[in-house]
């Protein structure tokens, strides 16, 4: 059984950096962190919700070798969480839910991802992904039916 740490390690540091740099939201957040300046509410007005979500966790964000991470709010020895760009979310979900976890339930998949990665819509995206998963669909949509006696009582 592979641990959740395998999720982001499937990409090299260079691949992570490239994926983040081509994403406009992450690129903007990286600029904030580099400048050491949290955007004001006025600056965020009319901007995408994802930018507002990153601003809300400003204190947890930092760069390591040009890659954006969020410190874990769990504290202790928990690793920093890679800030996943939108162009890689489906891949992370696929790895966390299917490849590594063999179709775990929604909460288990969320918990696996949250230990090592983060993005603003992680919870909703994971729930949607698990509900739409063809391998899990029978679990979610099992026919209820009526219980019937195996034989008729006399």
């Amino acid at each position: 059984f592979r641990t959740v740490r395998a999720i982001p390690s499937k990409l090299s540091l260079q691949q992570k950096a490239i994926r983040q740099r081509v994403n406009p939201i992450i690129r903007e957040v990286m600029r904030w962190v580099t400048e050491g300046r949290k955007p004001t509410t006025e600056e965020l007005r009319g901007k995408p919700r994802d930018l507002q979500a990153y601003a809300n966790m400003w204190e947890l964000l930092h760069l390591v070798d040009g890659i954006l991470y969020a410190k874990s709010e769990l504290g202790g020895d928990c690793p920093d969480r890679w800030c996943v760009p939108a162009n890689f979310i489906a891949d992370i979900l696929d790895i966390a839910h299917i490849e590594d976890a063999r179709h775990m339930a929604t909460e288990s998949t969320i918990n696996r991802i949250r230990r090592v990665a983060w993005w603003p819509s992680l919870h909703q995206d994971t729930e949607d992904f698990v509900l739409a998963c063809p391998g899990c669909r029978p679990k979610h949509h099992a026919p209820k039916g009526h219980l019937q006696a195996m034989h008729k009582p006399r």
Side-chain angles (χ1 to χ4, degrees), residues 41-95:
T41 305
E42 185 60 37
E43 291 172 320
L44 289 170
R45 191 164 285 128
K47 300 280 184 170
R49 278 188 170 166
D50 285 358
L51 279 176
Q52 295 172 10
Y54 278 106
N56 289 340
M57 59 182 299
W58 167 255
E59 295 78 19
L60 300 176
L61 300 174
H62 65 282
L63 291 169
V64 177
D65 297 326
I67 300 171
L68 184 65
Y69 291 94
K71 293 177 185 158
S72 174
E73 63 267 310
L74 301 174
D77 293 335
C78 294
D80 290 343
R81 297 173 297 155
W82 179 50
C83 294
V84 179
N87 54 327
F88 196 60
I89 290 170
D91 296 323
I92 290 288
L93 288 166
D94 186 60
I95 293 166

Side-chain angles (χ1 to χ4, degrees), residues 8-17 67:
S9 67
K10 291 189 183 270
L11 286 180
S12 70
L13 293 176
Q14 182 181 12
Q15 290 170 317
K16 287 181 188 179
I67 300 171

Side-chain angles (χ1 to χ4, degrees), residues 103-119:
H103 300 281
M104 282 185 159
T106 301
E107 283 303 312
S108 297
T109 303
I110 288 171
N111 290 335
R112 287 174 55 78
I113 294 169
R114 283 188 65 224
R115 286 187 222 133
V116 295
W118 185 86
W119 66 89

